[in-house]
Amino acid sequence: MQLRHAILGLLDVAPQSGYDLGRAFERSVAHFWHADQSQIYRTLDRLETDGAIATETIPQQGRPDRRVHSLTDAGRHELEAWLGSPLEDLQPKEPFLARLFFAASLGVDGILALLDEREAAIREGLEQLRALPSASGDLGAVLRMATLDAGIRQGEAELQWLASTRRAVAAEGS
């Protein structure tokens, strides 16, 4: 998956500005895809150049003009082609697990601190996911809630794994 596909998907839900897309990432897809605001704007520029989106400039009083992006037929075709393509191979990149893999030199206390830090991050992420409003009304809402549920379940499973790992590390230190 590329960022452009996530943006096309969000624009398929509703036309949005770059700022709105940034907020949509935070409120809806952040548990499985991260993008910062500058990446979003660069990708919007490429999508517009490629003809996948159209941009309407809306003048505003006392603020910069608002640029609202919407899918073109070419953009909708690209989104549908991506959705219908075979799934990408799993190519995980998990910085925390890479760090943990090599963390023996930190000693038991250092490893436990690393696990504590990760637990706090997971708990904060779960709190944010659980605070998201429920969606209902159509098939898209059902799928958005399913991905939210997956994020919550993954966070809960990681908390259980962290507790188990913490016990194993502490036992090695005894």
Side-chain angles (χ1 to χ4, degrees):
M1 177 176 166
Q2 297 177 13
L3 175 58
R4 70 185 288 125
H5 298 130
I7 290 174
L8 290 172
L10 288 170
L11 291 176
D12 190 41
V13 173
Q16 300 176 61
S17 69
Y19 175 79
D20 293 335
L21 284 165
R23 291 188 48 172
F25 268 90
E26 292 172 10
R27 291 188 320 261
S28 63
V29 300
H31 62 284
F32 61 86
W33 196 268
H34 170 77
D36 62 42
Q37 202 67 47
S38 63
Q39 291 174 304
I40 292 169
Y41 283 117
R42 283 192 308 271
T43 304
L44 284 170
D45 288 342
R46 283 192 298 272
L47 287 167
E48 187 171 20
T49 298
D50 294 346
I53 63 170
T55 303
E56 177 185 3
T57 302
I58 301 170
Q60 298 187 110
Q61 291 289 77
R63 295 191 307 196
D65 292 345
R66 180 176 165 86
R67 293 174 39 106
V68 177
H69 311 281
S70 58
L71 286 182
T72 62
D73 288 341
R76 184 161 283 105
H77 178 73
E78 181 179 340
L79 176 62
E80 289 173 1
W82 171 70
L83 289 170
S85 68
L87 292 176
E88 296 87 351
D89 291 337
L90 290 177
Q91 297 178 345
K93 290 181 183 176
E94 181 51 66
F96 166 72
L97 290 178
R99 190 177 294 196
L100 185 63
F101 188 87
F102 297 109
S105 65
L106 296 177
V108 171
D109 289 342
I111 295 167
L112 292 175
L114 185 63
L115 294 171
D116 289 343
E117 185 179 346
R118 180 63 172 204
E119 181 180 346
I122 296 299
R123 288 190 185 284
E124 181 181 330
L126 279 170
E127 188 175 307
Q128 291 171 359
L129 290 177
R130 288 179 175 135
L132 292 174
S134 294
S136 62
D138 63 4
L139 183 57
V142 168
L143 298 175
R144 288 188 290 278
M145 291 308 300
T147 61
L148 175 60
D149 183 50
I152 291 170
R153 289 178 189 226
Q154 288 169 356
E156 290 170 343
E158 185 162 351
L159 288 176
Q160 291 175 358
W161 172 81
L162 285 165
S164 173
T165 303
R166 181 177 286 107
R167 286 189 302 273
V169 169
E172 274 300 308
S174 317

